[in-house]
Amino acid sequence: MKKFLLGTVALVAFAAPAAAADLAARPYTKAPAPMIAAIYDWSGFYIGINGGWGSSRNCYTNTAVLGIAVPPTAEGCHDATGGTVGGQIGYRWQSGAWVFGLEAQGNWADFRGSNAVLGIPVATNRTKLDAFGLFTGQIGYAWNNALLYVKGGAAVTDNRYESVVTGLDIVIDRASETRWGGTVGAGIEFGFAPNWSAAVEYDHLFMGTNGNTFTGVAFPFTGLNTRTDSIKQDADLVTVRVNYRWGGPVIAKY
């Protein structure tokens, strides 16, 4: 009996390592990689194009005739409306969710409008705004690739004014000017690719009131200073913008 028990113990001791060797090796599982959130970065230089619609409000007041001052006489107002296309260049830097920037924008425009002169229905004043520029600072708040911003700064417009014979399109006199003023605006912009973004923007231009001396075109006033009008102007712009930015498109955040 004693020999049987010793033989059994020896057999178990011999079989145990062999059985362990027959067990499948535990597979190696690589630890999962840490999650990385891509955060859109608005920092960098950018250049882009824009296009849209605008309206310029112009109110004429006569203050002199043939160089002789007269009591101010309102001649009426009109809206000069039309399309615009142009470009912009700027730089932005981001601190946390806040985005700051500087931008210069230049646009060709074709805003036209007219009204019959109050008290002189045979004459019509008309305005054409040919171009404008904006030089602004920006501040915005970003939600990853979405940016809401406001802007403000200086504005300049290029304008042409004419008086014509109502219904005949015969020019009586004309004037032109480059006018400086201010602007405020706001927009919302979305990054749709690593370095590309698109925006919708509204701007209001405060262009103030300027005196303009008209030069006669039609006989017998050809070449004469026919009148001086004080013209008040402001404008509203709605544009769609597409920008390409140089700079890191994303920041890896663990």
Side-chain angles (χ1 to χ4, degrees), residues 70 94 110 165 225 240 246:
V70 297
Q94 185 167 353
D110 187 23
V165 178
N225 293 336
V240 175
W246 289 270

Side-chain angles (χ1 to χ4, degrees), residues 39-205:
I39 305 299
Y40 203 85
D41 182 10
W42 291 93
S43 299
F45 288 97
Y46 64 90
I47 189 170
I49 60 173
N50 72 80
W53 175 89
S55 176
S56 170
R57 182 71 172 171
N58 301 272
C59 293
Y60 289 59
T61 300
N62 180 243
T63 58
V65 176
L66 297 175
I68 302 173
V70 297
T73 305
E75 297 181 352
C77 302
H78 58 262
D79 294 324
T81 61
T84 180
V85 65
Q88 61 275 347
I89 186 170
Y91 179 78
R92 286 173 172 153
W93 60 96
Q94 185 167 353
S95 177
W98 293 98
V99 180
F100 307 90
L102 296 171
E103 182 182 275
Q105 175 180 340
N107 277 53
W108 167 85
D110 187 23
F111 302 169
R112 300 171 183 260
S114 62
N115 70 277
V117 177
L118 296 178
I120 313 176
V122 296
T124 293
N125 283 332
R126 65 187 186 190
T127 302
K128 182 176 185 292
L129 192 155
D130 289 319
F132 62 85
L134 307 178
F135 305 92
T136 55
Q138 298 181 4
I139 182 170
Y141 192 87
W143 293 267
N144 198 8
N145 66 324
L147 174 66
L148 180 66
Y149 62 89
V150 294
K151 60 190 293 187
V156 59
T157 59
D158 185 56
N159 306 280
R160 302 181 187 278
Y161 311 111
E162 290 182 337
S163 177
V164 300
V165 178
T166 302
L168 297 180
D169 201 33
I170 299 173
V171 178
I172 301 170
D173 55 14
R174 60 166 55 107
S176 62
E177 68 164 347
T178 298
R179 177 188 299 226
W180 285 88
T183 182
V184 295
I188 184 166
E189 189 164 350
F190 295 94
F192 62 86
N195 293 86
W196 291 91
S197 60
V200 177
E201 183 176 296
Y202 165 77
D203 298 286
H204 182 79
L205 279 58

